[in-house]
Amino acid sequence: MTQQPNGPDGDDRVRPWRRPDFLELVLTTRAESREGSEADEFGWQVWEGSIYAAWYVDGGVREDLPTDGSGWRGSDPIHDEDTMKLVVGELDRWMRRLDLDDTSDLLEAADAIAQDLLDVVEPIAGRDDVLTQVCYDLTDQDWIDRLLVLRVAEVIPQVRGWGVGAWASARSVQLLAPDAGTLMLTKAAPRDRTPFLADPDRELSPSEQRAWTATQNKIAAYWCQTLGLTPLPDNPAMLIGTLDTMEDAMQATLAVWQRR
C-alpha cells in the first residue's frame, strides 16, 4: 500500500481543515466469481472502500471545513442535520481462497488481473516454502485458507498526517478477515517509480535505487507500526500478518478515531 507521511499543513498549496470528528468506511463488493471460474475475476472477491471524514457543524460557514468539490475526485460534502461528511479517500481489497497444494493457481489468478497484483502475490506464491513455511513461522499460524491483499489505500492531502489511511486499512481488515486463517499481504511502495527516475526509459541508477529503497523502508515502517504487519526476511517491502499478529497495533490505530 502507499501512504503519504506529510501532515495536513505540509503542503502550502492546500488549505488546512479542522481535524475531522470521526471517520466512516463504506465497503462495497464489485465482483465475486465462482471458485475456479474464469468468467469474472478468476476467483477473487473484490472490495472497494470509500473513506468518509465527518465534522459536527453548528450552522453557518466555517473556513476550516471542506467546501464543494474539495473531496476525493472532486466530491461535495454531504450534510445531514448537524453533521457534514465528505469522501476523502478510497481503498481496494482483494480476497481469494488459498490452495496450498497448487500455489501456481494463485499466480495465474493474479496475473490475469494486473501486473501490480501479480507483483504483490509473487513473493509468497513463487516459492512453495515461503507460503507454507516462512509465512507460518512469521505469523505463528499453523493453518491459512485465504489471502486478503491490501492493494490500495489513498487519501487526499488535506487529511494526511492524521492516520486516516491507517484507520481505514485497519477497519477494512476488521470487517473482511473472518478469522486468523486469513493471511494479510501488502507491498509497501509508492505506486509509481517515475518521480525517482531522471530518465523513464532506463533502470534506476544507484542513487535513484537508494532513494527508492529508502522510501519503501519508510512506508513499510509506517504499516508495520500502524497495522502490526511483518516484513518478509528476503523482501522487506512485502508485509504479511494475521488477525492474531496484527491485533494490538490495529486496536491502537482504530482507537485514535473511536467515535465519541
Side-chain angles (χ1 to χ4, degrees), residues 198-214:
D199 180 358
D201 294 328
R202 62 165 174 78
E203 293 297 316
L204 293 169
S205 69
S207 61
E208 291 166 346
Q209 183 64 53
R210 287 193 293 272
W212 169 256
T213 300

Side-chain angles (χ1 to χ4, degrees), residues 60-175:
V61 178
R62 292 280 300 268
E63 292 186 356
D64 58 352
L65 292 178
T67 56
D68 287 350
S70 60
W72 182 259
R73 301 192 188 282
S75 60
D76 296 333
I78 302 169
H79 297 271
D80 182 15
E81 297 181 352
D82 62 346
T83 303
M84 170 192 289
K85 296 182 181 180
L86 182 69
V87 180
V88 295
E90 69 175 11
L91 51 78
D92 282 355
R93 300 293 181 253
W94 289 62
M95 183 182 289
R96 195 176 194 276
R97 289 194 175 275
L98 285 177
D99 180 2
L100 298 185
D101 294 326
D102 184 10
T103 56
S104 64
D105 180 58
L106 177 59
L107 287 174
E108 292 172 2
D111 188 36
I113 302 300
Q115 181 64 46
D116 73 284
L117 186 59
L118 178 63
D119 290 342
V120 176
V121 167
E122 191 169 21
I124 67 164
R127 286 171 42 196
D128 290 345
D129 64 306
V130 175
L131 185 56
T132 60
Q133 181 176 342
V134 176
C135 290
Y136 284 163
D137 291 343
L138 289 177
T139 62
D140 198 26
Q141 179 71 22
D142 58 6
W143 61 278
I144 295 171
D145 60 6
R146 63 179 57 81
L147 178 69
L148 179 57
V149 179
L150 312 181
R151 192 175 178 192
V152 176
E154 294 185 285
V155 297
I156 59 177
Q158 291 93 330
V159 297
R160 292 175 189 164
W162 285 322
V164 174
W167 176 89
S169 294
R171 181 62 176 150
S172 71
V173 171
Q174 188 181 52
L175 291 172

Side-chain angles (χ1 to χ4, degrees), residues 31-44 96 112-113:
E32 182 177 1
S33 71
R34 296 181 300 276
E35 185 65 25
S37 168
E38 296 184 357
D40 298 305
E41 297 291 345
F42 295 86
W44 293 100
R96 195 176 194 276
I113 302 300

